Amino acid sequence: MKKRVNPFYKSTAWKKCRAAILTRDHYLCQPCLRKKKLTTANTVHHIKPLAKAPDLALDEDNLESICPTCHNQEHPERANRKKDETKKEKRRARVIKIEGNKPMDE
Ligand SMILES: [Zn+2]
Ligand SMILES: [Zn+2]
């Protein structure tokens, strides 16, 4: 399957707009914030997808800062690929040290 990146995402206009939205939202994930959670956002999401509403591509009312977790939920078609990455991360994190916790001898 070929992956084509929309050239829009490389445009200066988008990069500026994206930075402005992250600043506006204080780099906080907006869907998380609505659930009273504070999560750092690193992505700006189009509420109405670019493909369906190209005229809203740079409309700040159509844009919100979002964290990777929420973003995957917004784009379920992309979730499978990301899930594999998450699995790998978890496996690595499961290695827990149990040494250094022995009771002291008197
Ligand atoms: Zn979030
Ligand atoms: Zn998105």
Side-chain angles (χ1 to χ4, degrees):
M1 207 165 78
K2 269 185 203 163
K3 203 184 95 186
R4 273 187 63 201
V5 178
N6 192 323
F8 166 78
Y9 288 109
K10 289 179 182 169
S11 68
T12 313
W14 166 245
K15 284 176 188 167
K16 273 190 192 163
C17 188
R18 190 185 163 277
I21 298 299
L22 285 169
T23 308
R24 179 197 71 183
D25 294 338
H26 308 283
Y27 286 82
L28 289 174
C29 171
Q30 298 305 292
C32 279
L33 200 61
R34 289 194 280 274
K35 287 178 256 170
K36 308 234 185 302
K37 274 202 302 183
L38 293 180
T39 311
T40 307
N42 57 8
T43 303
V44 172
H45 168 64
H46 287 92
I47 298 164
K48 285 182 188 154
L50 190 60
K52 283 185 186 163
D55 48 321
L56 297 177
L58 298 169
D59 188 326
E60 60 179 68
D61 290 333
N62 189 42
L63 296 166
E64 65 181 4
S65 306
I66 199 162
C67 72
T69 308
C70 290
H71 204 205
N72 283 344
Q73 283 167 9
E74 298 287 343
H75 299 279
E77 75 279 4
R78 289 191 209 159
N80 288 337
R81 184 163 47 88
K82 293 272 179 183
K83 230 181 261 167
D84 288 343
E85 287 166 27
T86 316
K87 250 186 237 164
K88 255 180 246 162
E89 291 286 327
K90 268 188 192 152
R91 217 175 294 151
R92 213 178 302 153
R94 211 174 281 159
V95 185
I96 302 163
K97 270 194 178 174
I98 45 169
E99 270 177 312
N101 210 6
K102 294 170 188 159
M104 273 201 290
D105 276 337
E106 287 199 7

